[in-house]
Amino acid sequence: MSKIKLMSHLVAGYPTDEISLTAARALVKGGADILEIQLPFSDPSADGPAIQTACTTVLKRNYKTADGLAFIAQIHKEFPDTSIYLMSYGSLVYTPGVENFCKKAAQAGVKGMIIPDLPFDYDEGLTASCTANGMINIPVAAPSMSPERLGKLAHAGFPYIYAALRTGITGSDTDINKETLDFIQKVSEGGSKVYGGFGISNGAQAKSLANHVEAIVAGSVFVRLISEHQTDPAKLSAAIESKARELTGQ
C-alpha cells in the first residue's frame, strides 16, 4: 500500500519549545506531510482533555501569539518543504486584526489556517486575508451541520475542507463506519479535497480512511505521547516517529 498522507497536530510550546521542536522533528522523520500547529487558547471548544491540558500548561508560561509564531518560523526554517497549517480560535485572530494576523502568520511560514469557530460564510474576512497573503483558509465541516449548510460549504469553492469525523471533542477513538464515509462523501461533493480527523490514533483507522480523504489528521495521540515521554527526549522522539510511521502505513 502506498504511503498514507498525514496531517499531525502539535500544540506550540508544549510542554517547552525545545520538547515541542523535538516532537516536530520526529513527526517529519516519521512521514508527516503537514504539521498542524495549534496556538494555545484558554477556552478551546473542540479540543479534548489531552489538548486542553497541553494548552493550559503552555499558557501558564505566559506564552503569547508572538511566541507561537516564532516557534512556527523556527520549524519552517528547518523544514521548508513541510507544509505548516496554523490552528487556533477566532479571538486570537480577530483581536490583533485578521489582516494583520494573517500577514504575520504568512511571514512565519504558515500555508493554511484552520480556525474552527469562524464559520465559513461569516469568517471576519479570514478567507480573503489568507488569499491576499498566499495562504488558504481551511473551514471545518462537522456531522452536526444541517444538510443544507453542509451542502453550501461543500460547494463554496474551498480547495480543502477539514472534516471532523464525529461530533463532540477530539481525543476519543472514532469508529470509521458507513456513516463516517457518507459524511466525507458529502463534504467532498463540491470538489474540495478533504482532511479527515478527530479520534484517529492507530494504523487500522488510518487505512480505512486513506482512500476517502486527501490526508488523515491525528492530534491527541501525539500530544499524549509528548505528555508521557516529556522527561526523556530520546524516548519521546522514538515514540512519535514510530506512531507517525504506523499512521502513514510505512
Side-chain angles (χ1 to χ4, degrees):
M1 183 176 175
S2 58
K3 180 185 175 295
I4 297 166
K5 278 186 83 172
L6 169 65
M7 184 202 297
S8 58
H9 177 286
L10 268 183
V11 175
Y14 175 69
T16 66
D17 277 19
E18 192 46 53
I19 293 169
S20 205
L21 194 55
T22 298
R25 288 172 180 143
L27 284 166
V28 174
K29 197 175 172 191
D33 303 273
I34 302 160
L35 297 178
E36 178 195 7
I37 300 178
Q38 176 167 355
L39 296 186
F41 188 63
S42 56
D43 189 26
S45 55
D47 298 321
I51 293 174
Q52 279 195 30
T53 303
C55 285
T56 304
T57 303
V58 180
L59 291 170
K60 278 181 183 164
R61 286 169 39 214
N62 203 26
Y63 206 77
K64 305 284 189 221
T65 295
D67 300 316
L69 290 175
F71 174 73
I72 287 171
Q74 189 177 359
I75 292 175
H76 176 62
K77 189 177 176 185
E78 197 168 325
F79 302 107
D81 298 329
T82 302
S83 293
I84 298 175
Y85 293 165
L86 185 153
M87 183 262 159
S88 199
Y89 290 89
S91 67
L92 282 188
V93 179
Y94 185 75
T95 305
V98 176
E99 175 62 37
N100 177 36
F101 185 95
C102 285
K103 190 176 178 185
K104 285 182 177 171
Q107 285 167 349
V110 173
K111 290 282 178 272
M113 302 274 281
I114 301 170
I115 313 293
D117 59 343
L118 280 183
F120 72 95
D121 46 356
Y122 295 97
D123 69 2
E124 306 293 349
L126 179 63
T127 300
S129 293
C130 281
T131 303
N133 287 283
M135 301 187 295
I136 50 171
N137 177 30
I138 302 156
V140 178
S144 54
M145 282 179 155
S146 70
E148 295 75 25
R149 187 158 181 73
L150 186 58
K152 191 178 172 190
L153 169 56
H155 291 89
F158 289 97
Y160 299 94
I161 297 173
Y162 183 129
L165 300 179
R166 57 173 168 70
T167 53
I169 55 174
T170 62
S172 319
D173 275 353
T174 297
D175 182 26
I176 313 299
N177 53 27
K178 185 181 182 299
E179 203 177 325
T180 313
L181 300 179
D182 286 348
F183 171 63
I184 291 169
Q185 176 59 39
K186 284 174 190 158
V187 175
S188 65
E189 69 180 13
S192 303
K193 291 179 177 176
V194 177
Y195 297 126
F198 256 52
I200 303 304
S201 62
N202 61 61
Q205 290 171 307
K207 282 191 182 82
S208 31
L209 259 185
N211 292 332
H212 305 274
V213 294
E214 171 70 11
I216 63 151
V217 187
S220 295
V221 63
F222 291 118
V223 176
R224 285 195 289 266
L225 287 173
I226 294 168
S227 303
E228 199 179 323
H229 300 296
Q230 57 185 288
T231 57
D232 188 335
K235 258 190 182 169
L236 180 146
S237 194
I240 286 184
E241 184 187 338
S242 170
K243 180 54 75 173
R245 287 187 187 283
E246 179 193 335
L247 291 168
T248 57
Q250 298 304 287

